[in-house]
């Protein structure tokens, strides 16, 4: 089946000497993996590699056989060139971290157009704004809406947040955040991308990032903390 769709690059793995296996989140078909032969050949190799950097937004034409095997691109174009993500150290660290998170949490070969649109809008916002200290926290929380475990805020006045059920509670259990952590988590729940970037100090961001990684681990089988987590911590320290 021939398809034309937008795609978000999640990862690119070198195969043998000259080829790539590229994992994408496509708008039309969810997660797909593509074989790119001769990606490292001398002819236009830099251009080809530029297409497959983490979280690059592509317009693709591809052949989807839907047999559980690698698919093939017919044509690839950059849909929206990023202006600042490749060169800004903070933003590129965020992108690397988020690509690892997405690699572990998006598995289904099922289309999820609202999730794709959410990620596309968020990444274009990141590319065009400078106050981005809370971006990764807001995005990680927002992604849980599409992954199926957004917090139940119906009892948000309760002093503790329980991670396994994703609810606020009056009773402190082993799987609950502390009162201090819950206060920070509630503040994050109310935050928008255009909100006050100075509402958290560095230590609070680090704590919230740990909380979110724990929350993901509770709700996603096989979720692994990204290797770039430590790098991101250093960037925002």
């Amino acid at each position: 089946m021939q398809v034309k769709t937008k795609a978000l690059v999640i990862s690119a793995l070198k195969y043998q000497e000259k080829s790539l296996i590229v994992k994408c989140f496509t708008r039309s078909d969810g997660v797909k993996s593509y074989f790119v032969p001769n990606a490292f050949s001398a002819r236009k190799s830099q251009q080809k590699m530029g297409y497959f950097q983490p979280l690059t937004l592509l317009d693709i034409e591809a052949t989807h056989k839907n047999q559980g095997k690698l698919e093939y691109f017919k044509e690839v174009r950059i849909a929206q060139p990023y202006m600042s993500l490749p060169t800004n150290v903070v933003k590129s660290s965020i992108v690397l971290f988020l690509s690892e998170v997405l690699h572990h949490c998006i598995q289904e070969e099922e289309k999820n157009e609202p999730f794709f649109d959410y990620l596309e809008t968020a990444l274009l916002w990141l590319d065009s704004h400078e106050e981005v200290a809370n971006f990764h926290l807001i995005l990680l929380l927002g992604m849980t809406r599409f992954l199926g475990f957004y917090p139940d805020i119906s009892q948000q006045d309760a002093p503790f947040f329980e991670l396994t059920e994703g609810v606020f509670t009056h009773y402190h259990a082993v799987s609950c955040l502390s009162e201090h952590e819950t206060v920070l988590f509630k503040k994050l729940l109310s935050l928008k991308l255009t909100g006050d970037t100075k509402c958290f100090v560095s230590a609070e961001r680090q704590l919230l990032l740990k909380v979110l990684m724990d929350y993901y681990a509770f709700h996603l089988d096989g979720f692994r903390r990204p290797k770039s987590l430590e790098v991101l911590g250093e960037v925002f320290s």
Side-chain angles (χ1 to χ4, degrees):
M1 181 175 65
Q2 297 294 316
V3 299
K4 293 183 179 181
T5 185
K6 284 187 175 181
L8 185 65
V9 176
I10 295 176
S11 63
L13 178 67
K14 189 175 182 180
Y15 179 76
Q16 295 183 343
E17 291 300 316
K18 296 182 179 180
S19 303
L20 280 176
I21 296 173
V22 180
K23 181 179 179 181
C24 291
F25 180 39
T26 70
R27 192 174 190 274
S28 64
D29 293 272
V31 172
K32 287 287 183 182
S33 291
Y34 300 87
F35 183 68
V36 184
N38 300 316
F40 293 93
S41 61
R43 184 172 174 267
K44 296 185 178 180
S45 62
Q46 287 188 334
Q47 182 183 30
K48 287 183 180 179
M49 290 305 298
Y51 293 156
F52 305 123
Q53 297 304 305
L55 301 192
T56 301
L57 285 163
L58 302 175
D59 281 323
I60 68 169
E61 295 183 35
T63 303
H64 287 177
K65 294 184 178 180
N66 299 317
Q67 295 176 350
K69 300 178 181 179
L70 294 174
E71 312 287 12
Y72 289 85
F73 294 118
K74 183 178 179 182
E75 189 172 344
V76 179
R77 298 178 299 275
I78 293 181
Q80 181 75 41
Y82 293 134
M83 297 290 95
S84 64
L85 298 194
T87 57
N88 182 296
V89 174
V90 172
K91 293 182 181 182
S92 61
S93 298
I94 292 173
V95 164
L96 181 60
F97 167 75
L98 290 173
S99 68
E100 284 194 72
V101 172
L102 289 170
H103 178 73
H104 293 303
C105 69
I106 304 181
Q107 304 295 336
E108 304 85 7
E109 287 196 14
E110 296 179 5
K111 73 176 181 180
N112 190 335
E113 292 178 354
F115 192 13
F116 183 94
D117 294 343
Y118 174 77
L119 292 171
E120 179 184 30
T121 300
L123 289 166
L124 293 176
W125 187 96
L126 176 65
D127 187 51
S128 61
H129 290 76
E130 295 307 313
E131 299 295 331
V132 298
N134 299 321
F135 175 86
H136 57 300
L137 302 176
I138 296 170
L139 190 70
L140 285 171
L141 184 59
M143 281 166 48
T144 64
R145 288 187 184 274
F146 305 96
L147 296 170
F149 54 97
Y150 188 77
D152 180 349
I153 59 174
S154 60
Q155 302 294 324
Q156 196 172 346
D157 291 339
F160 304 107
F161 182 70
E162 201 280 320
L163 291 168
T164 59
E165 297 297 327
V167 298
F168 290 90
T169 177
H170 291 276
Y171 306 99
H172 188 267
V174 175
S175 54
C176 286
L177 302 182
S178 69
E179 284 193 75
H180 174 62
E181 291 168 336
T182 301
V183 168
L184 294 178
F185 193 65
K186 288 178 181 179
K187 188 184 292 188
L188 178 60
L189 279 165
S190 68
L191 206 58
K192 307 295 182 186
L193 285 175
T194 54
D196 180 13
T197 58
K198 296 180 175 61
C199 63
F200 300 120
V201 298
S202 175
E204 291 173 336
R205 290 192 186 95
Q206 296 279 42
L207 183 56
L208 279 169
L209 185 55
K210 178 185 179 302
V211 164
L212 287 165
M213 290 295 93
D214 289 343
Y215 192 44
Y216 270 63
F218 269 117
H219 290 272
L220 294 174
D221 290 338
F223 179 78
R224 289 184 287 175
R225 285 165 173 75
K227 295 178 181 178
S228 57
L229 188 59
E230 185 175 339
V231 175
L232 192 69
E234 291 176 0
V235 166
F236 284 109
S237 62

